[in-house]
Amino acid sequence: MYRGIFILLLNGFVIFTVGVTFASDDKYDELVVGAVYNETAQQRAIPTINDLFAEAVAAKKSRLPLLIMFAADDCGYCEKLEAEILKPMYISGEYQEKVIMRRVMIDNFESVRDFKGAQLETFEFANKYRVTVTPTVLLVDSDGKMLAPKLIGINTVEFYSAYLDDAIDVSYEKLNGSASNYQQVTTSN
């Protein structure tokens, strides 16, 4: 009898099984599955946007900064940033109340609707923020105004994660005030 955790890929679906027991005798092999998790990798990716105007409405309503990752299809550093930092942040749900994460592909030759409603090519939109290297991450408000210095490229994952966390915190505080502004101090006599 064998026990373990297995991850299977089947037609683009990730099937995660926990507490799997294989029992074997001469007559049959038995597979007992404790839990199955089924979700495609595409569903868990940072959403690619082409309507920043609509995203701005959501950002304004929720008072959250908008994180925009500028990426390109053949950019290995973009893949590393998304796979090792942004996707785990996005999937964890821990940042859901702090930032809205989106991606703009600058080499897909599609148009995007900017924060004012104007249609631009993706590279034109990137030029508005002087994005010349991918990956570049911006944190902006609902008007498209930068809230923190842009993060260009990626060095080590550990350092980048710290810089990104700081930029998200600064951006959130600019939109909502610092946490100390909302803490109610009570004193007892």
Side-chain angles (χ1 to χ4, degrees):
M1 186 174 290
Y2 302 100
R3 292 187 69 88
I5 297 174
F6 297 87
I7 298 176
L8 306 170
L9 291 174
L10 182 64
N11 289 337
F13 287 93
V14 176
I15 299 172
F16 180 72
T17 60
V18 180
V20 176
T21 303
F22 289 96
S24 179
D25 68 13
D26 295 336
K27 295 183 181 176
Y28 62 92
D29 287 335
E30 180 182 12
L31 174 64
V32 180
V33 179
V36 176
Y37 179 76
N38 208 356
E39 184 172 293
T40 65
Q42 188 66 20
Q43 289 171 322
R44 295 171 35 194
I46 306 300
T48 301
I49 57 170
N50 58 6
D51 190 353
L52 291 143
F53 188 78
E55 295 292 337
V57 171
K60 189 170 192 164
K61 184 177 179 182
S62 63
R63 297 186 57 135
L64 294 178
L66 183 60
L67 179 152
I68 303 172
M69 174 194 173
F70 289 90
D73 282 329
D74 294 327
C75 172
Y77 292 108
C78 299
E79 292 172 12
K80 179 178 183 164
L81 173 60
E82 187 167 357
E84 296 185 30
I85 299 173
L86 295 178
K87 193 182 273 189
M89 289 170 68
Y90 185 75
I91 292 169
S92 75
E94 293 178 31
Y95 290 82
Q96 197 170 18
E97 301 294 321
K98 293 177 83 173
V99 67
I100 298 170
M101 294 185 196
R102 299 294 184 260
R103 174 179 55 187
V104 172
M105 301 300 290
I106 64 171
D107 60 351
N108 66 3
F109 304 108
E110 292 183 11
S111 64
V112 295
R113 188 172 167 206
D114 73 4
F115 292 99
K116 295 180 181 178
Q119 287 293 126
L120 301 172
E121 298 295 320
T122 52
F123 69 88
E124 291 175 309
F125 178 69
N127 285 340
K128 286 179 82 171
Y129 289 99
R130 297 186 178 157
V131 173
T132 57
V133 175
T134 58
T136 296
V137 172
L138 302 178
L139 285 138
V140 298
D141 66 10
S142 60
D143 295 322
K145 179 182 169 194
M146 288 182 31
L147 296 169
K150 60 184 166 186
L151 299 169
I152 302 170
I154 182 171
N155 48 18
T156 62
V157 172
E158 294 80 16
F159 286 129
Y160 194 95
S161 294
Y163 297 144
L164 184 57
D165 273 339
D166 288 346
I168 290 170
D169 289 343
V170 165
S171 299
Y172 183 85
E173 288 176 6
K174 281 184 178 179
L175 294 176
N176 296 287
S178 67
S180 62
N181 290 345
Y182 291 97
Q183 293 177 353
Q184 190 172 33
V185 179
T186 58
T187 58
S188 59
N189 294 337

